[in-house]
Amino acid sequence: MRPGSSLEIYGSLLLGLLLYLLPWAGVGLTFRPDFVLLVLLYWLIRAPYSCNVGMAWMMGIVIDLADGSLFGQHALAYIVAAFLALMYQRRVTLFNRLQQAGFVFALLIIAQIVLLIVKLFGGDQPSAWTYFLPSVTGIMLWQLVIYSKIKVSGDENRG
Amino acid sequence: MIRRVTVQQHPPQAFFVRGPSPFARLIFFSALSIVLMAVDSRLHYLNEVRQGFATLLYPLELVASAPVRIYRHVNSYFVDQKTLTQENARLTTFAMNQALDLQRLTNTEAENAHLRSLFEARQKLKPSTELAEILHTGRDPFVHKVEVNIGTQQGVAPGQAVVDGFGVIGQVTRVYPFTSEVTLITDKSLVIPVQVARNGLRAIAFGHGRDNTLYVPYLPTSVDIKEGDKLMTSGIDNTYPEGLTVAVVTRIERDPNSPFAHIICTPAAGTDRRRQVLIITGSLITPPSPITKKASHAPRQ
């Protein structure tokens, strides 16, 4: 499998960041998937040698800056998800698409739970159930991207 | 001992060189994140760092918001004449009404100045304001914050009040060189001292955090508040100028089992629909606080 050049990786991360920075509002904001984490997970699973926990941490810090939120909370959530992705990376490449989607969904939820715990420690009140909607839209977006010919696992006919 | 021997016999050799293991990285970066969070939340050392990096991120934000700005720009070209005439008529009536008020205001101001000089009271300055445009709402849907397009370069400082034509919108909570963050009065973390316009009763309004409302706790069930009462800023907090409309009481529940009335209000200002807001940048002249100065100047959060 072609591991993906660094230009592709950084380009897609930048694109994810730009999508995140779009002036979302109202319902769009409630449904907005976590683009950056999705891109990160994609590269962590597909090219674990050129993308690691440190990169996830950096992107988390950038998100915290853009967000104006507490420094390090997104970073912590992202590195937990990134670590789990790396730990099961070899198995995930053997999964079929449905299993992969389930795995990625679990990671998205875990990242959100870590974020929620940090926020609760920071004195926030628990949010409504819609807090987890971005994971649902995120996994839908993931499926859309995967079905549009970009494959995570290398066992199919694309090199 | 035995363990060390075995290690020497079979030196661990990774098949691929990957640097530190993911687990080691996880531990390292988690520790770093937790330290950062602690420093940021408790010690507030990172404000300058945040300002610096946020400025680096500003061009990216401009690029990201470009599509929306272009859309608005293009959209403004295709407004039909009927809408424009209607808006013009509405604005003219509005301006006429305000002109009438303004004539009375000059009169009242002169009278007020005279009375104040009689009392030898300090003159209140007209606060200077700065027009700001909302760039985007907060990134977190559960936090009621907006980002506006002026910052420290234009004289914005944390703690300043933000208003629109109808009332108080919120307060500046964080400033960057070119942008600043405004916490809306409906946010859970914002508290604003108010006064009922009808009878001068003082109270404190808290942001509800949900449904774009505020609530007024700690008032007894027998309190003299009616639905439709206007809540104004009382001005005793040295932050908001006196007499700005904050909210209108929309619902009161007087539960006999509870010692306090449950009062829900809706903000008078369009906290969720304005695009332009005014930031009150000039300092308000207020009598010296009986409490220590340091405490009174800290932004209310």
Side-chain angles (χ1 to χ4, degrees), chain B residues 271-290:
Chain B
T271 46
D272 54 347
R273 18 175 220 279
R274 294 274 166 266
R275 208 182 295 157
Q276 272 100 13
V277 295
L278 282 177
I279 298 181
I280 297 173
T281 49
S283 59
L284 307 166
I285 292 187
T286 40
S289 170

Side-chain angles (χ1 to χ4, degrees), chain B residues 22-221:
Chain B
F23 186 68
R25 283 174 205 255
L26 176 75
I27 296 299
F28 174 72
F29 284 112
S30 313
L32 207 58
S33 307
I34 290 167
V35 167
L36 272 179
M37 279 189 270
V39 170
D40 193 23
S41 67
R42 295 274 170 257
L43 305 172
H44 307 286
Y45 286 158
L46 294 173
N47 284 343
E48 284 78 19
V49 180
R50 186 191 284 278
Q51 280 187 5
F53 281 103
T55 317
L56 288 182
L57 216 60
Y58 183 59
L60 261 185
E61 289 199 20
L62 277 188
V63 172
S65 60
V68 178
R69 269 185 292 135
I70 290 169
Y71 170 75
R72 278 179 188 167
H73 197 66
V74 170
N75 224 9
S76 66
Y77 272 116
F78 295 105
V79 187
D80 61 341
Q81 210 207 337
K82 200 179 150 198
T83 327
L84 277 180
T85 351
Q86 275 176 358
E87 195 180 325
N88 201 351
R90 191 169 55 80
L91 288 178
T92 315
T93 354
F94 196 60
M96 287 287 274
N97 282 332
Q98 282 196 330
L100 204 69
D101 285 346
L102 210 61
Q103 278 177 23
R104 276 195 328 210
L105 182 73
T106 40
N107 213 346
T108 320
E109 254 181 4
E111 196 182 312
N112 197 6
H114 178 63
L115 287 174
R116 276 185 179 277
S117 66
L118 284 182
F119 277 125
E120 291 179 358
R122 283 215 241 175
Q123 297 290 321
K124 284 196 178 182
L125 281 193
K126 215 188 250 181
S128 60
T129 55
E130 198 80 47
L131 185 73
E133 191 166 336
I134 294 178
L135 286 176
H136 57 78
T137 55
R139 310 272 182 219
D140 187 340
F142 295 98
V143 175
H144 295 236
K145 283 177 182 171
V146 293
E147 200 94 354
V148 296
N149 67 344
I150 59 175
T152 44
Q153 297 290 317
Q154 284 83 10
V156 181
Q160 286 170 345
V162 182
V163 298
D164 76 352
F166 300 93
V168 181
I169 291 230
Q171 191 179 17
V172 177
T173 44
R174 192 176 273 152
V175 286
Y176 303 113
F178 303 107
T179 55
S180 38
E181 181 194 88
V182 175
T183 304
L184 304 178
I185 48 172
T186 48
D187 189 77
K188 272 178 293 204
S189 62
L190 210 72
V191 178
I192 170 167
V194 292
Q195 204 165 12
V196 178
R198 187 167 50 84
N199 54 9
L201 176 83
R202 273 199 297 275
I204 298 176
F206 287 71
H208 206 285
R210 280 180 202 170
D211 312 329
N212 196 28
T213 51
L214 289 95
Y215 69 101
V216 185
Y218 316 130
L219 286 180
T221 37

Side-chain angles (χ1 to χ4, degrees), chain A residues 14 17-18 20-26 29-30 32 48-49 52-54 57 61-62 64-73 75-76 79-80 83 86 89-90 118-119 121 124-128 130-131, chain B residues 16-18 22-23 25-26 29-30 32-34 36-38 40-42 46 49-51 53-54 57 60-61 63-65 67-68 135-143 145 147 174 176 181 188 208 210:
Chain A
L14 192 68
L17 187 62
L18 277 178
Y20 182 85
L21 290 177
L22 281 180
W24 297 88
L29 190 63
T30 326
R32 180 198 61 195
Y49 298 103
N52 58 44
V53 175
W57 188 79
I61 286 291
V62 171
D64 280 331
L65 269 175
D67 224 7
S69 52
L70 196 62
F71 248 123
Q73 59 179 26
L76 188 64
I79 57 174
V80 170
F83 168 71
L86 280 177
Q89 187 267 336
R90 288 177 200 201
V118 172
K119 280 182 184 172
F121 269 113
D124 279 18
Q125 274 152 29
S127 317
T130 48
Y131 175 76
Chain B
F16 297 104
V17 181
R18 295 178 72 167
F23 186 68
R25 283 174 205 255
L26 176 75
F29 284 112
S30 313
L32 207 58
S33 307
I34 290 167
L36 272 179
M37 279 189 270
D40 193 23
S41 67
R42 295 274 170 257
L46 294 173
V49 180
R50 186 191 284 278
Q51 280 187 5
F53 281 103
L57 216 60
L60 261 185
E61 289 199 20
V63 172
S65 60
V68 178
L135 286 176
H136 57 78
T137 55
R139 310 272 182 219
D140 187 340
F142 295 98
V143 175
K145 283 177 182 171
E147 200 94 354
R174 192 176 273 152
Y176 303 113
E181 181 194 88
K188 272 178 293 204
H208 206 285
R210 280 180 202 170

Side-chain angles (χ1 to χ4, degrees), chain B residues 215-286:
Chain B
Y215 69 101
V216 185
Y218 316 130
L219 286 180
T221 37
S222 59
V223 72
D224 181 20
I225 287 190
K226 284 188 265 185
E227 278 179 26
D229 266 352
K230 235 189 217 177
L231 302 181
M232 323 269 268
T233 48
S234 57
I236 55 171
D237 53 347
N238 292 6
T239 301
Y240 301 96
E242 199 182 322
L244 293 172
T245 316
V246 176
V248 177
V249 177
T250 46
R251 208 176 71 227
I252 305 171
E253 284 165 22
R254 297 177 204 266
D255 183 3
N257 294 327
S258 157
F260 301 115
H262 191 65
I263 301 165
I264 301 286
C265 331
T266 322
T271 46
D272 54 347
R273 18 175 220 279
R274 294 274 166 266
R275 208 182 295 157
Q276 272 100 13
V277 295
L278 282 177
I279 298 181
I280 297 173
T281 49
S283 59
L284 307 166
I285 292 187
T286 40

